[in-house]
């Protein structure tokens, strides 16, 4: 059995990447015969052409959908809007600059078709490859993930990796409060606290976005992650 998939892509000032990302995903999904929709949740910005580019692609492929928000509401809010508006049996959350290899995303989708509730990419497993990750980021990531595993008894090794596939019936039934990148910890924590949830991790190739384009503020996000862990507790 092959599940249909809704791909959710939060976007803000992504004119450099969005077309290439969508086309690569579209090609891989069609090549592997997935029933799919690609949902771009865009926070508009002055002098940014992301909306114009996506609208052009929609004319070529009606499986692409665009949700436009007038203000910068954040990654967490974008993910929640994408989940709410998704129509298919599984949900894949990924990035506008496609940090993960598209072939790895297909592997995640194929794995959830085996019957798992959650399939996660792992950037640190043997067989993974990570580019552009600083020593500071690596240490902070490993400490955060260690703390999550201890506090919540979760066995995922890379809880905070945003690239995961979920069964829609499960992710749509949890209440989410995070507004930024902390949502990528909140979702798996709240799902895996439930008994009987099945999950699997696969090694993935991951390329960290160039600082010129990065939306991730280390100091700000660290405090948000801490707060969301307290809320989940």
């Amino acid at each position: 059995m092959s599940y249909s998939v809704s791909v959710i892509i939060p976007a803000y000032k992504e004119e450099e990447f969005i077309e290439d990302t969508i086309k690569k995903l579209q090609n891989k999904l069609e090549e592997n015969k997935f029933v799919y929709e690609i949902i771009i949740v865009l926070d508009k910005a002055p002098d940014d052409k992301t909306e114009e580019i996506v609208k052009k692609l929609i004319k070529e492929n009606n499986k692409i959908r665009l949700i436009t928000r007038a203000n910068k509401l954040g990654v967490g809010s974008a993910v929640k809007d994408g989940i709410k508006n998704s129509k298919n049996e599984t949900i894949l959350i990924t990035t506008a600059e496609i940090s993960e290899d598209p072939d790895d995303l297909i592997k995640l989708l194929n794995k959830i078709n085996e019957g798992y509730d959650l399939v996660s990419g792992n950037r640190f497993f043997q067989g993974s490859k990570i580019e552009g990750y600083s020593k500071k980021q690596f240490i902070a990531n490993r400490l955060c993930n260690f703390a999550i595993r201890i506090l919540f008894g979760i066995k995922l090794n890379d809880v905070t990796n945003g690239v995961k596939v979920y069964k829609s019936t499960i992710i749509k039934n949890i209440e989410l409060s995070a507004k930024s990148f902390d949502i990528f910890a909140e979702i798996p924590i709240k799902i895996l606290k439930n008994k009987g949830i099945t999950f699997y991790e696969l090694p993935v190739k991951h390329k960290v976005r160039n600082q010129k384009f990065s939306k991730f503020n280390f100091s700000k996000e660290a405090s948000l992650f801490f707060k969301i862990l307290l809320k989940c507790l």
Side-chain angles (χ1 to χ4, degrees):
M1 177 176 67
S2 181
Y3 294 114
S4 58
V5 59
S6 297
V7 182
I8 297 171
I9 304 177
Y12 176 71
K13 291 186 178 179
E14 302 292 356
E15 61 183 30
E16 299 273 347
F17 308 100
I18 197 69
E19 182 168 3
D20 188 46
T21 294
I22 291 174
K23 285 187 173 178
K24 281 181 178 177
L25 272 170
Q26 175 187 314
N27 291 339
K28 284 294 177 183
L29 290 164
E30 291 182 358
E31 181 184 317
N32 288 273
K33 297 180 170 44
F34 278 95
V35 174
Y36 72 92
E37 62 177 355
I38 298 174
I39 305 172
I40 313 298
V41 186
L42 173 67
D43 285 353
K44 287 185 72 171
D47 303 318
D48 176 66
K49 296 180 181 177
T50 305
E51 183 178 28
E52 180 184 325
I53 293 166
V54 175
K55 284 182 175 178
K56 182 195 76 172
L57 295 173
I58 288 172
K59 289 178 182 178
E60 301 168 6
N61 182 356
N62 62 10
K63 295 175 184 175
I64 301 167
R65 297 167 56 201
L66 176 64
I67 299 170
T68 304
R69 288 117 58 93
N71 301 307
K72 187 181 178 184
L73 301 177
V75 174
S77 170
V79 169
K80 286 184 278 187
D81 272 0
I83 292 168
K84 183 172 67 176
N85 286 279
S86 64
K87 298 175 180 176
N88 289 337
E89 297 163 291
T90 61
I91 290 173
L92 165 65
I93 301 169
T94 188
T95 56
E97 83 287 4
I98 203 158
S99 298
E100 268 62 28
D101 186 315
D103 286 321
D104 285 339
L105 299 181
I106 295 300
K107 288 176 185 176
L108 298 179
L109 291 172
N110 284 334
K111 198 69 188 177
I112 206 162
N113 282 333
E114 294 180 17
Y116 293 98
D117 298 311
L118 184 165
V119 178
S120 173
N122 189 307
R123 298 163 289 182
F124 307 98
F125 267 174
Q126 184 176 358
S128 302
K129 183 180 178 182
I130 191 164
E131 295 179 25
Y133 219 59
S134 69
K135 188 175 181 180
K136 178 183 176 182
Q137 286 173 304
F138 177 83
I139 292 170
N141 178 287
R142 295 293 78 203
L143 287 174
C144 182
N145 276 278
F146 177 76
I148 290 171
R149 292 199 303 275
I150 295 299
L151 287 170
F152 299 98
I154 290 173
K155 294 181 180 178
L156 275 182
N157 183 269
D158 194 5
V159 182
T160 57
N161 185 5
V163 179
K164 292 181 172 66
V165 188
Y166 302 90
K167 291 274 188 67
S168 293
T169 50
I170 291 170
I171 197 171
K172 282 177 178 281
N173 283 327
I174 59 171
E175 187 175 336
L176 298 169
S177 60
K179 294 180 175 64
S180 192
F181 290 88
D182 47 336
I183 197 163
F184 298 126
E186 183 184 19
I187 295 173
I189 287 171
K190 287 188 172 177
I191 285 177
L192 290 170
K193 283 170 71 176
N194 297 317
K195 291 182 179 179
I197 296 294
T198 58
F199 65 90
Y200 199 92
E201 282 186 281
L202 287 170
V204 293
K205 302 180 188 72
H206 179 80
K207 188 173 182 179
V208 177
R209 179 185 283 226
N210 187 298
Q211 281 300 113
K212 176 184 173 184
F213 301 106
S214 179
K215 312 295 189 302
F216 190 90
N217 181 306
F218 186 86
S219 300
K220 175 188 171 187
E221 298 302 335
S223 65
L224 290 174
F225 269 83
F226 179 72
K227 288 175 184 176
I228 205 67
L229 294 189
L230 291 179
K231 278 188 178 181
C232 289
L233 279 171

